[in-house]
Amino acid sequence: MAKVCILRLGHRRLRDQRITTHVFLTARALGATEGVLCGERDESVLRGIEKVSEVWGGKFPIRYEENWQLFIRKKKRDGWKIAHLTMYGIDFRRVLLKKKVDKCVVVVGAGKVPQEIYELADYNVSVTNQPHSEVAATALFLDRLFGGKELGKKFEGKIRIVPKACGKLVVHGKNSLRDINESD
Ligand code: SAM
């Protein structure tokens, strides 16, 4: 599977805390490999996501980056492609059909994004040209990038849900790793 770094651009602590957390939670659950928070520094978002990985498993390192331009330029030098999610871009399905992407930074805006990101991005891609949610755009983009394979990803954590047609079954501790490769 491709390596994917989710970069949240222009985070505002007061307005975006919940939705930024949801962008990272969604990205982690749907196969992204790392997260980078830009805009206002917000330890509670970072700690919250780290805590989820600690309990539910999987590697999803996340950190704050003050200078997003430098970060993106460095990633580009290291061979990563930059996909900026924006309703003004071209259809994401066209880009993903034509390009094979092995390492991708997915840029997800908060408020109005700076013009510079349109120029730095290799692809400005839309998930429809209607305004909607950064969480939905992230989910659909990742699912199409991974071709649905991310839905079968195994997480080895301290806790695991055993899927049930009815009711709840949660396995804790060592037992959560037992039979992890079996379909329950
Ligand atoms: N006015 C903002 C702008 O300049 O794009 C929209 C902000 S929107 C609430 C926050 C983020 O959601 C955007 O920066 C983009 O990453 C994502 N987003 C919203 N609608 C989208 C769409 N149709 N396609 C792709 N991304 C979208």
Side-chain angles (χ1 to χ4, degrees), residues 8 11-21 24 37-50 62-65:
R8 175 64 153 163
H11 171 74
R12 299 156 296 182
R13 230 182 352 249
L14 288 181
R15 280 185 67 160
D16 300 321
Q17 203 165 69
R18 190 161 181 272
I19 197 104
T20 295
T21 299
F24 286 129
L37 180 68
C38 301
E40 293 179 11
R41 189 184 288 269
D42 194 337
E43 291 301 319
S44 76
V45 169
L46 302 178
R47 296 293 87 80
I49 300 297
E50 282 168 354
I62 182 164
R63 66 185 180 86
Y64 178 73
E65 178 62 54

Side-chain angles (χ1 to χ4, degrees), residues 41-167:
R41 189 184 288 269
D42 194 337
E43 291 301 319
S44 76
V45 169
L46 302 178
R47 296 293 87 80
I49 300 297
E50 282 168 354
K51 184 82 191 154
V52 168
S53 298
E54 198 186 307
V55 174
W56 291 89
K59 284 197 177 65
F60 187 76
I62 182 164
R63 66 185 180 86
Y64 178 73
E65 178 62 54
E66 195 163 351
N67 191 327
W68 60 271
Q69 293 99 327
L70 272 185
F71 177 84
I72 285 178
R73 288 203 183 95
K74 167 138 191 1
K75 283 289 203 195
K76 285 177 80 136
R77 282 198 302 277
D78 292 344
W80 291 63
K81 293 293 180 199
I82 313 299
H84 168 221
L85 300 183
T86 165
M87 64 181 178
Y88 303 104
I90 56 172
D91 191 323
F92 75 122
R93 294 172 299 178
R94 271 176 53 196
V95 171
L96 292 177
L97 263 184
K98 284 197 190 137
K99 309 284 175 188
K100 170 144 175 43
V101 184
D102 296 326
K103 297 191 285 187
C104 184
V105 177
V106 179
V107 180
V108 185
K112 189 171 164 30
V113 296
Q115 181 61 32
E116 201 182 344
I117 188 58
Y118 290 89
E119 285 137 30
L120 277 175
D122 296 289
Y123 317 114
N124 289 293
V125 289
S126 60
V127 179
T128 79
N129 295 113
Q130 300 298 313
H132 58 83
S133 152
E134 44 268 63
V135 178
T138 301
L140 282 163
F141 183 84
L142 291 178
D143 185 59
R144 199 52 79 120
L145 175 69
F146 294 133
K149 288 197 180 80
E150 79 289 357
L151 297 173
K153 184 174 172 178
K154 304 285 181 202
F155 291 84
E156 297 192 8
K158 296 179 182 164
I159 189 170
R160 178 171 67 97
I161 289 171
V162 180
K164 290 274 156 206
C166 184

